[in-house]
Amino acid sequence: MEEQDWAGVVAAATRAPSIHNTQPWRFVARDDRVELHLDAARALPVLDPTGRQQVISCGIALEFAVVALAAAGWGAETELLPDGTGALGVIRLTGPVPADDEARALAAAIDRRHTVRTPFAARAVPAELLDRLQAETGRFGTWLKPITRSEEEVATVFLISRAEEMEQGDPAYLAELESWLRTDPAAEDGVPVGAVPEGDPHERASNWLIRDFVAGQREPHAFRAAGDPDAPPPEVERPAVVLMGTEGDDREAWLQSGRALARVLLRVTDAGLVASPLTQALDWPATRTRMQSRLSLVGYPQMLLRLGYPPDRADGPAPVVSGRRPVADVLRFEPAG
Ligand SMILES: Cc1cc2nc3c(=O)[nH]c(=O)nc-3n(C[C@H](O)[C@H](O)[C@H](O)COP(=O)(O)O)c2cc1C
């Protein structure tokens, strides 16, 4: 494939969501393959010292590239952690294939997908869609568990609240978060303040606490912890919340859960739904381990995702979309010979 064709594929890959929109990737393309490398200069040493969430982000970008190639009529094989390259993954072209409607629909969802943190419409997520997501994630050695039982929901909500409390009390965490917040709407990375709902997440009518991106800039409030983990949940917004996880907890498992998450997000977008990750409880070993035991999980939780139908925006402002670095900054092309 020519350089400009790879630029199109990498443009699609970089639409992937990433933790704090750090976009921790760089790509090296040759005529028949593209490698994805972790960009260590964009690390989050406080929030993500092992790089787990950044490697998941790279797994999503890798799979977005596969989807874009399929829609363009290219068959491809993905190898994770190829020997001797230092890459997280390589995608090798295997030859032309007929692009089907499914590939085109998923590729079309790449540009339409955005993290939506506002409360969702009061409309239940169809059970068949959740079944389909479960089947699809299984292809990547990743399980997907809808949090439906009340005691699991209460435990998860409680652990998110505990983690958020720890984060808001940690100046190093707050400084790192603030360094990735952006007020300039043209910013090429980081989380735009306009993409984060105004107001204190504790005040909104939801039992699911979204990450507080502007905690450090607000008057400190008396922290309302979730209290008694056995108390019934309050009557509030109820999105579908799914937990995704893997048997292992190494780079390969993180990449696989990222690839599975890519498919989940594109499938959900294609079905007219929206999503937002809620990963605070997975940021810290203490709350992550407690989630394993409280929910009797097999393996390791990698991603907690809130899913639902978008709010009716007929009269509201258009949502703020996060920026991306130009492809030229993240792609190096090495011509054959
Ligand atoms: C591994 C991972 C963890 C994330 N955790 C959160 C989170 O806890 N809360 C949140 O609001 N967004 C979270 N996000 C979403 C990112 O902030 C978002 O993808 C990024 O700002 C780019 O915006 P976009 O998804 O609209 O393209 C996470 C994304 C990834 C990939």
Side-chain angles (χ1 to χ4, degrees):
M1 238 168 50
E2 304 288 330
E3 184 170 3
Q4 73 265 28
D5 299 323
W6 279 121
V9 171
V10 169
T14 61
R15 292 308 315 163
S18 58
I19 179 77
H20 291 1
N21 199 18
T22 45
Q23 304 166 43
W25 43 61
R26 52 185 188 80
F27 298 82
V28 182
R30 298 186 185 92
D31 61 335
D32 64 342
R33 73 189 63 184
V34 65
E35 289 171 5
L36 185 157
H37 294 255
L38 185 67
D39 184 345
R42 307 182 70 80
L44 295 172
V46 181
L47 171 68
D48 193 22
T50 60
R52 186 182 66 83
Q53 300 198 59
Q54 290 205 315
V55 172
I56 291 176
S57 308
C58 289
I60 307 171
L62 201 59
E63 198 59 20
F64 274 22
V66 170
V67 168
L69 283 167
W74 282 100
E77 254 172 26
T78 304
E79 188 188 351
L80 301 182
L81 305 168
D83 284 343
T85 62
L88 287 178
V90 59
I91 301 171
R92 293 189 189 90
L93 301 180
T94 52
V97 289
D100 54 30
D101 290 347
E102 156 109 355
R104 277 193 281 260
L106 289 184
I110 289 179
D111 279 339
R112 292 206 313 274
R113 183 217 60 84
H114 305 289
T115 299
V116 174
R117 301 179 179 88
T118 48
F120 296 153
R123 185 171 155 203
V125 174
E128 313 80 70
L129 178 64
L130 294 175
D131 289 348
R132 188 154 185 204
L133 299 180
Q134 264 173 327
E136 198 139 3
T137 51
R139 292 204 291 126
F140 298 96
T142 300
W143 45 257
L144 180 144
K145 173 185 168 62
I147 306 288
T148 46
R149 287 173 44 222
S150 150
E151 61 273 22
E152 290 176 344
E153 179 176 320
V154 172
T156 308
V157 167
F158 173 75
L159 291 171
I160 292 176
S161 178
R162 281 285 306 138
E164 186 71 35
E165 184 179 2
M166 284 158 64
E167 293 184 331
Q168 290 184 28
D170 180 344
Y173 166 86
L174 291 176
E176 186 179 80
L177 179 66
E178 211 177 316
S179 73
W180 287 97
L181 259 189
R182 301 286 182 262
T183 47
D184 176 359
E188 291 172 354
D189 62 8
V191 180
V193 282
V196 180
E198 280 178 23
D200 188 333
H202 291 88
E203 305 299 332
R204 70 197 235 155
S206 177
N207 53 333
W208 295 98
L209 193 60
I210 63 161
R211 189 186 293 274
D212 193 349
F213 283 91
V214 287
Q217 295 164 21
R218 220 193 328 272
E219 288 293 300
H221 60 85
F223 198 90
R224 289 199 283 119
D228 179 3
D230 297 323
E235 285 305 317
V236 285
E237 179 211 37
R238 292 288 165 72
V241 174
V242 297
L243 183 63
M244 295 171 63
T246 45
E247 207 179 302
D249 198 31
D250 52 13
R251 283 189 159 203
E252 184 171 350
W254 302 339
L255 286 165
Q256 288 289 64
S257 52
R259 295 173 76 194
L261 178 59
R263 294 276 166 177
V264 165
L265 292 171
L266 297 182
R267 181 73 59 203
V268 157
T269 306
D270 182 48
L273 284 82
V274 289
S276 76
L278 295 165
T279 56
Q280 306 96 310
L282 309 184
D283 294 344
W284 308 102
T287 43
R288 191 169 178 232
T289 310
R290 271 180 80 186
M291 187 170 286
Q292 283 175 300
S293 60
R294 290 295 299 267
L295 274 67
S296 309
L297 301 177
V298 179
Y300 297 84
Q302 305 291 2
M303 169 55 58
L304 192 66
L305 197 63
R306 180 176 155 268
L307 301 175
Y309 286 91
D312 183 8
R313 283 195 212 279
D315 308 318
V320 172
V321 168
S322 63
R324 292 295 184 276
R325 290 184 293 154
V327 168
D329 289 6
V330 297
L331 170 62
R332 194 175 81 227
F333 184 73
E334 294 183 346

